[in-house]
């Protein structure tokens, strides 16, 4: 498969050097916009994530009657309060964003009108039954074919439920908590493992009495959300590409400033640490409920690692990149228990395996992960984004350690989360 369109020829070998930052966190930006929209006044957001996913969220909010003053990376959201959205004129478009589709569905379920939410080809093939089931149990009325978008949601009176999802998913959890804000009685989500907790942290920062306990996370119906000021930290998932590049290319030495270091997101750091990475975390602090800090990354000799279980959830978006890192580590890396990767923006297991193989890596595909036998030896070749921003950026990192040049197709997909990614990479190579 080749998505062609944007094509780049990438040569590696140059060390990555410099003092840099990455764009604002995408997960936190979606939540700041959506929760701001449900707030009782003006929420201001600084360092909002750029990229098409977050733009989709701003656009959808506008269509639901929420005023968003768009000042680029600084926006003001004029909240309309719980249940205060207005009926859109036509179908809402979540583009490529699973987070937007799942979170907004929880909100729409508790409004007083009917709305349809759809997305691009990738999003229309991703499983939505994981939210349709529990939302329907809460009293929502949702029409969808085969458990996929478009979803037509008729706002209804909701009642709280206790839901135990089979997979740990922050999108499912957040969808149900947002529906729970509009429901009568308690809504509790009991996860099989801890997924990212940005929604819970932001609800608490907005003064909502959320309960977080071993037995589950509980919201108990409407209570006003106070507007807040959010300074979005750098996106750890975007930083990860430079962390990987810095670790892999000989002579690299990087500082990445103001990166979000929420423990539910930094599994990749723990994994590369186990592999022998030389990374220092400096200036660690918590601002507005979210941990952040600066990272110094130096080229490191790495060895393979085996992972599964909770490691998977905490590093879910970085596992394809871990595959790239593993090609340069001594010995074997085994990723298991990661079947969720098959239902992301693309099938990230097969995309990772295909790309690494095209570059000359020794890699085996598993139903729920992959095995990489490392030791270097990437030759270069032709790779594709598979219409997935993270696959495109991971491939560009792999190209940095290939001996020959690499042709990457479908480069425009990086716009989903990281416009300017290739330019930033070039800047660091020129040190
Ligand atoms: C996200 C949660 C994760 C992650 C996605 C963003 C979020 O998905 O893969 O990129 O912002 O809540 P799941 O919660 O479905 O695992």
């Amino acid at each position: 498969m080749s998505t062609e369109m944007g094509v780049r020829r990438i040569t590696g070998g140059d060390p990555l050097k410099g003092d840099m930052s990455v764009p604002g966190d995408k997960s936190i930006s979606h939540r700041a916009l959506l929760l701001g929209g449900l707030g009782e006044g003006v929420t201001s957001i600084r360092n909002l994530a750029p990229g098409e996913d977050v733009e989709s969220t701003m656009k959808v909010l506008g269509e639901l009657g929420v005023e968003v003053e768009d000042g680029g990376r600084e926006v003001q959201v004029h909240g309309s309060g719980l249940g205060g959205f207005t009926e859109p004129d036509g179908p809402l478009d979540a583009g490529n964003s699973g987070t937007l589709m799942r979170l907004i569905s929880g909100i729409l379920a508790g409004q007083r009108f009917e709305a349809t939410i759809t997305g691009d080809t990738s999003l229309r093939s991703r499983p939505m039954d994981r939210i349709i089931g529990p939302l329907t149990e809460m009293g929502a009325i949702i029409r969808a074919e085969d458990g996929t978008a478009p979803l037509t949601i008729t706002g209804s009176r909701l009642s709280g439920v206790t839901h135990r999802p089979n997979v740990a998913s922050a999108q499912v959890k957040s969808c149900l908590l947002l529906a729970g804000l509009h429901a009568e009685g308690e809504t509790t989500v009991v996860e099989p493992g801890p997924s990212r907790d940005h929604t819970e942290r932001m609800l608490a920062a907005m003064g909502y009495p959320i309960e977080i306990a071993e037995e589950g996370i509980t919201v108990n119906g409407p209570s006003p959300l106070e507007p807040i000021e959010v300074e979005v930290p750098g996106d750890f998932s975007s930083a990860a590409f430079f962390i990987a590049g810095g670790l892999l290319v000989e002579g690299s030495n990087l500082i990445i400033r103001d990166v979000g270091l929420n423990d539910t997101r930094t599994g990749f750091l723990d994994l590369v640490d186990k592999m022998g990475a030389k990374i220092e975390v400096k200036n660690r602090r918590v601002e507005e409920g979210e941990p952040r800090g600066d990272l110094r990354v130096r080229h490191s000799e790495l060895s393979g690692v085996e992972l599964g279980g909770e490691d998977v959830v905490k590093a879910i978006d970085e596992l394809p990149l871990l595959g790239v890192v593993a090609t340069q580590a001594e010995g074997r890396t085994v990723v298991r228990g990661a079947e969720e990767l098959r239902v992301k923006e693309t099938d990230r297991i097969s995309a990772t395996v295909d790309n690494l193989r095209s570059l000359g890596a020794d890699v085996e595909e598993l139903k729920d992960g992959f095995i990489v036998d490392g030791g270097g030896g990437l030759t270069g070749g032709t790779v594709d984004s598979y219409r997935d921003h993270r696959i495109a950026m991971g491939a560009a990192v792999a190209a940095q350690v290939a001996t020959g040049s690499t042709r990457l197709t479908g480069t425009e997909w990086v716009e989903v989360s990281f416009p300017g990614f290739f330019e930033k990479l070039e800047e660091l190579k020129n040190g």
Side-chain angles (χ1 to χ4, degrees), residues 81-247:
L82 292 171
F85 287 5
T86 53
E87 187 166 356
D89 289 336
L92 302 166
D93 186 2
N96 192 243
S97 175
T99 303
L100 170 56
M101 178 160 290
R102 293 189 176 119
L103 269 56
I104 200 77
S105 296
I107 299 174
L108 292 174
Q111 304 295 313
R112 291 198 201 96
F113 51 80
E114 182 176 287
T116 296
I117 176 105
T118 188
D120 71 5
T121 318
S122 152
L123 188 52
R124 279 188 274 112
S125 72
R126 294 178 66 184
M128 293 299 147
D129 38 5
R130 50 182 66 186
I131 58 165
I132 296 172
L135 284 177
T136 305
E137 216 186 300
M138 292 176 79
I141 301 163
I142 304 180
R143 295 198 307 278
E145 255 174 59
D146 303 327
T148 55
L151 309 178
T152 296
I153 303 175
T154 312
S156 331
R157 285 176 72 96
L158 304 176
S159 349
V161 292
T162 294
H163 182 62
R164 294 184 163 74
N166 300 329
V167 283
S169 161
Q171 295 178 355
V172 171
K173 171 179 65 181
S174 303
C175 166
L176 300 180
L177 295 178
L178 291 172
L181 299 183
H182 296 81
E184 210 177 291
E186 291 191 347
T187 300
T188 301
V189 183
V190 188
E191 292 201 281
S195 67
R196 65 190 65 188
D197 63 357
H198 306 302
T199 304
E200 296 92 302
R201 285 172 186 260
M202 202 170 288
L203 280 172
M206 296 178 88
Y208 186 90
I210 184 164
E211 280 172 46
I212 297 168
E214 286 268 312
E215 313 78 65
I217 300 155
T218 303
V219 293
N220 189 358
S223 170
L225 302 182
E226 295 154 20
I228 50 171
E229 288 190 7
V230 185
E231 172 85 40
V232 181
D235 195 322
F236 179 79
S237 297
S238 299
F241 298 104
F242 295 98
I243 298 173
L247 291 176

Side-chain angles (χ1 to χ4, degrees), residues 322-335:
L322 190 80
V324 173
V325 172
T327 63
Q328 306 304 299
E330 257 336 294
R332 174 168 280 202
T333 292
V334 184
V335 174

Side-chain angles (χ1 to χ4, degrees), residues 17 30 46 72 126 235 261 326 345 371-372:
K17 287 187 178 166
H30 282 304
R46 285 192 304 276
R126 294 178 66 184
D235 195 322
L261 293 175
E345 285 84 329
I371 300 175
V372 178

Side-chain angles (χ1 to χ4, degrees), residues 219-363:
V219 293
N220 189 358
S223 170
L225 302 182
E226 295 154 20
I228 50 171
E229 288 190 7
V230 185
E231 172 85 40
V232 181
D235 195 322
F236 179 79
S237 297
S238 299
F241 298 104
F242 295 98
I243 298 173
L247 291 176
L248 298 188
V249 187
E250 235 177 286
S252 296
N253 188 348
L254 280 177
I255 294 188
I256 317 174
R257 297 201 187 267
D258 291 321
V259 183
L261 293 175
N262 181 317
D263 183 50
T264 58
R265 290 281 295 283
T266 51
F268 179 74
L269 268 192
D270 305 334
L271 291 167
V272 293
D273 183 59
K274 272 195 205 156
M275 296 172 90
K278 287 187 265 186
I279 300 178
E280 287 164 67
V281 181
K282 297 180 172 191
N283 206 6
R284 205 187 263 276
R285 59 205 184 274
V286 179
E287 281 168 25
E288 292 127 11
E290 284 286 349
R292 53 195 93 199
D294 305 335
L295 303 174
R296 176 179 283 281
V297 183
R298 289 187 178 84
H299 168 248
S300 309
E301 301 297 333
L302 303 175
S303 43
V305 70
E306 298 211 359
L307 65 116
E310 273 188 20
D311 293 336
V312 166
V313 190
K314 285 177 69 178
I316 189 73
D317 289 344
E318 286 67 63
L319 293 178
L321 182 63
L322 190 80
V324 173
V325 172
T327 63
Q328 306 304 299
E330 257 336 294
R332 174 168 280 202
T333 292
V334 184
V335 174
R336 282 193 182 281
E339 46 275 269
E340 266 302 283
L341 290 178
R342 296 213 182 263
V343 290
K344 294 293 181 185
E345 285 84 329
T346 191
D347 175 343
R348 286 184 175 164
I349 294 179
S350 83
T352 300
V353 168
D354 285 357
N355 273 349
L356 291 181
R357 219 170 253 158
S358 302
L359 295 177
D362 186 352
V363 45

